[in-house]
Amino acid sequence: MTNCCGLLTEKKEPVPLKSIDAQLEVKDHVATLVSTLNFENKEDKPLETVFVFPLPGDAAVCHFSAQIGETHIVAEVMDRQQARQVYDDALSSGQKVFVLEESDESPDIFSLKVGSLPPGESASIRLEYVTELAVQADDGLRFCLPAVLNPRYQPQGSEGPSVQVTSVPASLVPYSLSFSAQVSSPRPISKIESSCSLEPLQYLNADQTQATVKLGAGHKFDRDVELLIYYKDAHQPSAVVEAGQASAKPDSLMGDPVVMVSLYPEFPQSVMSSLATCGEFVFLVDRSGSMGFSMNNSTPQETRISSAKDTLLLLLKSLPMGCYFNIYSFGSSFEHIFPTSVEYSEKTMKEALEKVEKMEADLGGTEILRPLKHIYSQACIPKHPRQVFVFTDGGGGNTKEVTDLVKKNAGSHRCFSFGIGEGASSALINGMAKEGGGHAQFITGADRMQPKVMQSLRFALQPIVEDISVSWDLPKGVSATVLSPTITAIFQGQRSLIYAQLTGQSSEEADCRVTVKYSLAGHPSQNQLHFNLKPAEDSGLTVHRLAARTVIRSLESEERTRRGQQDEKVKKKVVELSVQSGVSSCFTAFIAVNKDSGKAVQGPLVRRNVPTAFLPQMMACSLSQQLDPPKKKKRGIFSNIFHKNMLHGRIDAKPFVIERSIGSARYVPEPVQPHKDPLLQLVSLQKASGSWMLDEDLAAVLGKTKEEVEKAKPELVNNEVWASILALIWLHAFKMDAKEEWELLSMKAASWIKAQNGNIH
């Protein structure tokens, strides 16, 4: 009989995973995370334990080891098929064995198997990865330790996932998480913020260039662990040279020095003050069922779809006259407001906003591929560069297919992506922006969607940088081989990263220079950085591993485009580099076998799946798609199968209504009536030209009657100019805390007033 003491799964099965300890080390903008997973078999039979969990999509997993009693086993990287065979052979012979591999569908999901753990025995698994920290629009550096793995939607006609995820509600995760971070930088650390509860920040030296912070006790797994790190004078270009590995082959990536160059281009103010007045703006909005759930626990009345609709209002009011636009929405199917993009005018803006107002989270699943294909099939409009904005709260089982499609069309557009809520796929959001030459943002915790999206719109309205080239001025006998993909996009104040392999010998003090040249609004520009060849101290092989990860991801993408051509050369390159660098790939796995374990483990293995946290509403939505197949159009209350049978009534999940229609399932959360935001009321009254009308609605927002407003108007100023001046005064007087949200539309209003010979001073 199974001993059921200790932590239990939802099926009353013991959970072998007891705790996770995560230790983060941040050096400037590079992070190394070491996670220790502690397993213990309290049953009376040997176990095989399977744990599927999320990692950052751009992480380079570079170490995997196991500690069993006094025995320490370091895993090696090998071809995935070979590793699976070694694992099966070790299991059948009763050896303790551990394997870690990346999911076929998405690089942000990993599977860990712990094989042949005898009764009463413990094992500690050590997992290490390195990653660059993404620069946010407010100059913060973002690190995210994913703790939530929501169901990934499988598009119709696609194969099922290669790894099966076992999930429980976040409140019922049966193991603990401890997390601490140590941060160091050449520049002082201003602050560290998080959506999670943190212990107070502790500085470790007087100049505040080193600090440590810890996660508060009792993390509930209802959100990812996100850190936002702010440095003083953050926009400082830098170059880090790292010595090669002594044991590696000469002239190889791991044997030669590698340099990581970080540039922060600064554009002339004369160029930045004139935002683009042309462009085709395509907004692609997720309307799957999960978009009907709240943005966060503190504002349950604000749903993801309502926030997206408010954001679309701000976006449409901020677009320049003369541009083109369209709005797509998607779920299991997709819709568009106009057959093709239309010129922005008062008429088209009003028509679009009327349809946006009727949008609900009622289109079923999360199939983003088909609307993207439709967008890319539309002919581009001459002299109007295409900018695609994608809003989604999930991820599909076809992440690589989606990012490959964006990459294939990168020459015809820029892609700006937004991950909404906890558990959004980092591989999808970051991958689309990276391949599309745009910018990625995540809206989590108490974040508001609107300011982040408007920051990205400012990027989209910046002049497009063209003719980008990188040149190196190095000592005689030294050459640089760029390992990073070609730079396709540069934004004001945003970091551009370049990895290069340095071959040859020279003095460490020799002066080196890297120059990035480009054309900005028709004017030649450049950014330069001087550095020397002296290797950084105590960097280990971090830069080499990040560079190897960059090359591996590029080769994997190339292999997918060649798939079906019977060409194994690219795959062979990936496997060779993965093995040499110790960095995981989709074709390799980490494998560790304890061959000195003495006698073999006896008895049949019992399989235990360690559950991952999900948010209850996300699983409810996912299950409802399975439990309620499409029938004739009808309304009814969800059958509560999920709530009663699956969760034993232990979740406080909002009830929701299901609308069935032929061909697709539609799910509509019960409506909540939010109070009207005065800012959004004012914005909704603005005309496409940038002006306001002097009427009762505007007066009400200003807290006056129409008569009071008209009475105060100077005699020589017409009504529309006066109304627009008052609207701008109100924004500056009462909504300066939300300036990022209305700054663009206010600039449009000011330009309109000046064009009427009005005076805003």
Side-chain angles (χ1 to χ4, degrees), residues 249-263:
K249 294 179 182 178
D251 299 325
S252 68
L253 188 154
M254 298 305 292
D256 284 339
V258 170
V259 60
M260 176 177 62
V261 177
S262 305
L263 295 174

PDB file of all heavy atoms in Angstrom, residues 249-263:
ATOM      1  N   LYS A 249      38.906  23.337 -28.576  1.00  0.00           N
ATOM      2  CA  LYS A 249      39.708  23.342 -29.802  1.00  0.00           C
ATOM      3  C   LYS A 249      40.065  24.778 -30.182  1.00  0.00           C
ATOM      4  O   LYS A 249      39.229  25.678 -30.093  1.00  0.00           O
ATOM      5  CB  LYS A 249      38.927  22.706 -30.950  1.00  0.00           C
ATOM      6  CG  LYS A 249      38.634  21.229 -30.782  1.00  0.00           C
ATOM      7  CD  LYS A 249      37.828  20.728 -31.975  1.00  0.00           C
ATOM      8  CE  LYS A 249      37.458  19.259 -31.817  1.00  0.00           C
ATOM      9  NZ  LYS A 249      36.635  18.779 -32.966  1.00  0.00           N
ATOM     10  N   PRO A 250      41.306  25.005 -30.623  1.00  0.00           N
ATOM     11  CA  PRO A 250      41.662  26.344 -31.128  1.00  0.00           C
ATOM     12  C   PRO A 250      40.800  26.699 -32.340  1.00  0.00           C
ATOM     13  O   PRO A 250      40.342  25.818 -33.072  1.00  0.00           O
ATOM     14  CB  PRO A 250      43.137  26.185 -31.528  1.00  0.00           C
ATOM     15  CG  PRO A 250      43.615  24.971 -30.802  1.00  0.00           C
ATOM     16  CD  PRO A 250      42.432  24.069 -30.654  1.00  0.00           C
ATOM     17  N   ASP A 251      40.557  27.987 -32.531  1.00  0.00           N
ATOM     18  CA  ASP A 251      39.752  28.500 -33.646  1.00  0.00           C
ATOM     19  C   ASP A 251      38.293  28.045 -33.593  1.00  0.00           C
ATOM     20  O   ASP A 251      37.582  28.120 -34.596  1.00  0.00           O
ATOM     21  CB  ASP A 251      40.353  28.095 -34.998  1.00  0.00           C
ATOM     22  CG  ASP A 251      41.763  28.643 -35.184  1.00  0.00           C
ATOM     23  OD1 ASP A 251      42.022  29.768 -34.699  1.00  0.00           O
ATOM     24  OD2 ASP A 251      42.588  27.956 -35.800  1.00  0.00           O
ATOM     25  N   SER A 252      37.846  27.568 -32.442  1.00  0.00           N
ATOM     26  CA  SER A 252      36.432  27.224 -32.264  1.00  0.00           C
ATOM     27  C   SER A 252      35.764  28.315 -31.448  1.00  0.00           C
ATOM     28  O   SER A 252      36.440  29.139 -30.815  1.00  0.00           O
ATOM     29  CB  SER A 252      36.272  25.880 -31.556  1.00  0.00           C
ATOM     30  OG  SER A 252      36.722  25.967 -30.207  1.00  0.00           O
ATOM     31  N   LEU A 253      34.444  28.333 -31.440  1.00  0.00           N
ATOM     32  CA  LEU A 253      33.732  29.363 -30.686  1.00  0.00           C
ATOM     33  C   LEU A 253      34.106  29.309 -29.208  1.00  0.00           C
ATOM     34  O   LEU A 253      34.306  30.354 -28.576  1.00  0.00           O
ATOM     35  CB  LEU A 253      32.220  29.191 -30.864  1.00  0.00           C
ATOM     36  CG  LEU A 253      31.318  30.297 -30.294  1.00  0.00           C
ATOM     37  CD1 LEU A 253      30.001  30.353 -31.067  1.00  0.00           C
ATOM     38  CD2 LEU A 253      31.014  30.107 -28.818  1.00  0.00           C
ATOM     39  N   MET A 254      34.202  28.118 -28.643  1.00  0.00           N
ATOM     40  CA  MET A 254      34.503  28.000 -27.216  1.00  0.00           C
ATOM     41  C   MET A 254      35.990  28.189 -26.926  1.00  0.00           C
ATOM     42  O   MET A 254      36.364  28.517 -25.805  1.00  0.00           O
ATOM     43  CB  MET A 254      34.041  26.638 -26.694  1.00  0.00           C
ATOM     44  CG  MET A 254      32.541  26.401 -26.805  1.00  0.00           C
ATOM     45  SD  MET A 254      31.532  27.690 -26.019  1.00  0.00           S
ATOM     46  CE  MET A 254      31.933  27.422 -24.282  1.00  0.00           C
ATOM     47  N   GLY A 255      36.861  28.006 -27.943  1.00  0.00           N
ATOM     48  CA  GLY A 255      38.296  28.127 -27.720  1.00  0.00           C
ATOM     49  C   GLY A 255      38.821  29.539 -27.878  1.00  0.00           C
ATOM     50  O   GLY A 255      39.797  29.933 -27.234  1.00  0.00           O
ATOM     51  N   ASP A 256      38.187  30.340 -28.740  1.00  0.00           N
ATOM     52  CA  ASP A 256      38.625  31.717 -28.974  1.00  0.00           C
ATOM     53  C   ASP A 256      37.951  32.679 -28.001  1.00  0.00           C
ATOM     54  O   ASP A 256      36.886  32.374 -27.455  1.00  0.00           O
ATOM     55  CB  ASP A 256      38.276  32.145 -30.402  1.00  0.00           C
ATOM     56  CG  ASP A 256      39.219  31.545 -31.434  1.00  0.00           C
ATOM     57  OD1 ASP A 256      40.339  31.149 -31.052  1.00  0.00           O
ATOM     58  OD2 ASP A 256      38.824  31.466 -32.615  1.00  0.00           O
ATOM     59  N   PRO A 257      38.542  33.869 -27.803  1.00  0.00           N
ATOM     60  CA  PRO A 257      37.831  34.894 -27.031  1.00  0.00           C
ATOM     61  C   PRO A 257      36.551  35.320 -27.752  1.00  0.00           C
ATOM     62  O   PRO A 257      36.473  35.275 -28.982  1.00  0.00           O
ATOM     63  CB  PRO A 257      38.829  36.058 -26.977  1.00  0.00           C
ATOM     64  CG  PRO A 257      40.160  35.460 -27.288  1.00  0.00           C
ATOM     65  CD  PRO A 257      39.889  34.312 -28.213  1.00  0.00           C
ATOM     66  N   VAL A 258      35.572  35.733 -26.966  1.00  0.00           N
ATOM     67  CA  VAL A 258      34.313  36.241 -27.512  1.00  0.00           C
ATOM     68  C   VAL A 258      34.035  37.590 -26.860  1.00  0.00           C
ATOM     69  O   VAL A 258      34.250  37.767 -25.661  1.00  0.00           O
ATOM     70  CB  VAL A 258      33.143  35.265 -27.250  1.00  0.00           C
ATOM     71  CG1 VAL A 258      31.801  35.911 -27.603  1.00  0.00           C
ATOM     72  CG2 VAL A 258      33.318  33.986 -28.056  1.00  0.00           C
ATOM     73  N   VAL A 259      33.563  38.561 -27.664  1.00  0.00           N
ATOM     74  CA  VAL A 259      33.217  39.874 -27.134  1.00  0.00           C
ATOM     75  C   VAL A 259      31.705  40.072 -27.230  1.00  0.00           C
ATOM     76  O   VAL A 259      31.082  39.691 -28.222  1.00  0.00           O
ATOM     77  CB  VAL A 259      33.968  41.008 -27.875  1.00  0.00           C
ATOM     78  CG1 VAL A 259      33.629  41.030 -29.360  1.00  0.00           C
ATOM     79  CG2 VAL A 259      33.677  42.365 -27.239  1.00  0.00           C
ATOM     80  N   MET A 260      31.127  40.638 -26.179  1.00  0.00           N
ATOM     81  CA  MET A 260      29.717  41.015 -26.161  1.00  0.00           C
ATOM     82  C   MET A 260      29.654  42.537 -26.112  1.00  0.00           C
ATOM     83  O   MET A 260      30.115  43.164 -25.150  1.00  0.00           O
ATOM     84  CB  MET A 260      28.996  40.418 -24.944  1.00  0.00           C
ATOM     85  CG  MET A 260      27.541  40.852 -24.822  1.00  0.00           C
ATOM     86  SD  MET A 260      26.678  40.060 -23.434  1.00  0.00           S
ATOM     87  CE  MET A 260      27.618  40.674 -22.034  1.00  0.00           C
ATOM     88  N   VAL A 261      29.119  43.142 -27.162  1.00  0.00           N
ATOM     89  CA  VAL A 261      29.037  44.595 -27.271  1.00  0.00           C
ATOM     90  C   VAL A 261      27.604  45.040 -27.025  1.00  0.00           C
ATOM     91  O   VAL A 261      26.667  44.513 -27.638  1.00  0.00           O
ATOM     92  CB  VAL A 261      29.503  45.062 -28.669  1.00  0.00           C
ATOM     93  CG1 VAL A 261      29.348  46.573 -28.797  1.00  0.00           C
ATOM     94  CG2 VAL A 261      30.943  44.648 -28.917  1.00  0.00           C
ATOM     95  N   SER A 262      27.427  46.009 -26.125  1.00  0.00           N
ATOM     96  CA  SER A 262      26.106  46.578 -25.835  1.00  0.00           C
ATOM     97  C   SER A 262      26.127  48.044 -26.238  1.00  0.00           C
ATOM     98  O   SER A 262      26.924  48.826 -25.703  1.00  0.00           O
ATOM     99  CB  SER A 262      25.767  46.465 -24.345  1.00  0.00           C
ATOM    100  OG  SER A 262      25.860  45.127 -23.918  1.00  0.00           O
ATOM    101  N   LEU A 263      25.267  48.400 -27.187  1.00  0.00           N
ATOM    102  CA  LEU A 263      25.184  49.780 -27.651  1.00  0.00           C
ATOM    103  C   LEU A 263      23.803  50.350 -27.351  1.00  0.00           C
ATOM    104  O   LEU A 263      22.802  49.634 -27.428  1.00  0.00           O
ATOM    105  CB  LEU A 263      25.457  49.852 -29.156  1.00  0.00           C
ATOM    106  CG  LEU A 263      26.869  49.463 -29.615  1.00  0.00           C
ATOM    107  CD1 LEU A 263      26.933  49.435 -31.131  1.00  0.00           C
ATOM    108  CD2 LEU A 263      27.902  50.427 -29.055  1.00  0.00           C
TER     109      LEU A 263
END
